[in-house]
Amino acid sequence: MPAADKKPETASIPRHIAIIMDGNGRWAADRKLPRAAGHQQGAEAVRRCVKGCIEQGVRCLTLYAFSSENWKRPAEEVSALMSLLRLYLRREMKELNRRGVCIRFIGDRSALDDDICAQLKEAEDFTAGNRELLLTIALNYGSHGEIAAAARRLAEKVAAGEMQPEEITAETLAAQLDTNGLPDPDLVIRTSGEMRLSNFLLWQSAYSELLFIDEYWPDFTEETLALAVAEFGARERRFGARS
Ligand code: FPP
């Protein structure tokens, strides 16, 4: 990645960055710590990332905190992740609000504990008027489920005579996704050296720039974000057209 201070003249700031925060477990293993310690440091990295986005002028940040496939992990780890989320929301809400962050959640809430659902709603209501940064946290989220649910809702509308099949377009389908109203991500980042999207924003990332970073998520800093923004600025986006 080019250094942030060597940002080219044409550099543009991604309006929306989406991040697959990977490598918490390996970060902990390298230090002979329990995995939960890696997730705790991951939550610290979330704080730095939010701060970095505000400093860089990024308007939307979407974080993959728990996938619909993460239930396959041992119950102990799932429980540690949920407790961490509770703690993060309790501890950070005032500060996020002070910084002008509007927080929202995407994903299927039906499998989440009632107290977490209540906390999510409280956080959304508390920060609803903020405009500095829209922070979306994906929880029990998976693109396949999201797209299938959107298709099902459109099929129900057609069956009820509220819609014609010809009215099913990319736009009407996108309007049924959890991300309705959110611009598509300009930049999708995955940490830890893994190079896959793991069922994250598959529809929305059709034209996103992808950036795979070797460092583990707990090591992510404001500087990492600045480097990622600089790398984005050096990319040429054509959206299928010619330059
Ligand atoms: C992937 O690392 C990370 C997760 C499945 C959880 C992400 C959660 C956090 C960063 C903590 C809290 C988040 C918020 C929003 C407060 P991994 O466990 O798969 O790491 P590994 O691949 O090295 O094992």
Side-chain angles (χ1 to χ4, degrees):
M1 276 194 285
D5 59 356
K6 291 195 193 120
K7 209 164 11 177
E9 286 299 319
T10 53
S12 59
I13 303 295
R15 180 161 59 147
H16 181 184
I17 297 183
I19 306 185
I20 302 172
M21 308 179 287
D22 197 10
N24 295 351
R26 279 163 284 168
W27 184 93
D30 281 356
R31 291 160 180 77
K32 301 196 172 20
L33 292 169
R35 292 180 64 83
H39 294 315
Q40 273 163 20
Q41 288 308 308
E44 296 299 320
V46 167
R47 183 187 291 145
R48 294 191 292 272
C49 183
V50 166
K51 187 163 166 277
C53 281
I54 294 171
E55 285 167 4
Q56 296 284 325
V58 173
R59 305 315 304 249
C60 308
L61 170 67
T62 300
L63 300 175
Y64 205 10
F66 192 87
S67 77
S68 42
E69 289 73 35
N70 283 153
W71 296 108
K72 294 179 202 157
R73 294 189 178 205
E76 188 193 346
E77 185 173 353
V78 170
S79 163
L81 279 167
M82 294 297 164
S83 298
L84 191 57
L85 182 74
R86 285 185 182 94
L87 188 70
Y88 176 81
L89 291 176
R90 216 176 309 126
R91 277 212 195 138
E92 300 289 321
M93 204 40 55
K94 281 211 180 100
E95 177 62 10
L96 289 171
N97 189 54
R98 198 187 62 73
R99 288 183 182 273
V101 177
C102 172
I103 183 161
R104 289 206 201 132
F105 299 88
I106 55 171
D108 179 7
R109 298 186 196 194
S110 66
L112 302 177
D113 287 351
D114 288 348
D115 71 302
I116 293 202
C117 290
Q119 249 190 313
L120 304 190
K121 168 110 182 41
E122 197 186 329
E124 287 177 331
D125 291 347
F126 186 58
T127 62
N130 294 335
R131 291 287 172 268
E132 189 67 28
L133 175 75
L134 175 56
L135 170 63
T136 303
I137 298 184
L139 263 186
N140 193 20
Y141 172 88
S143 282
H144 286 177
E146 178 195 35
I147 296 168
R152 197 157 48 241
R153 279 192 288 273
L154 291 178
E156 283 163 2
K157 283 180 192 288
V158 171
E162 294 165 17
M163 199 176 180
Q164 296 302 312
E166 315 78 78
E167 291 176 290
I168 299 181
T169 61
E171 286 73 27
T172 55
L173 195 141
Q176 297 295 329
L177 297 175
D178 292 5
T179 48
N180 182 33
L182 191 64
D184 286 341
D186 300 295
L187 176 64
V188 176
I189 299 173
R190 184 176 190 138
T191 55
S192 91
E194 307 285 351
M195 295 189 203
R196 54 180 172 270
L197 292 177
S198 300
N199 211 11
F200 183 51
L201 301 179
L202 298 184
W203 174 284
Q204 298 86 341
S205 62
Y207 279 100
S208 303
E209 293 299 320
L210 306 180
L211 181 61
F212 299 100
I213 296 177
D214 283 338
E215 73 189 13
Y216 295 145
W217 176 251
D219 291 325
F220 195 96
T221 64
E222 292 92 329
E223 174 66 6
T224 322
L225 188 88
L227 290 169
V229 166
E231 164 70 24
F232 174 82
R235 302 258 181 113
E236 187 195 3
R237 302 183 79 192
R238 292 195 295 275
F239 299 97
R242 284 172 57 179
S243 52

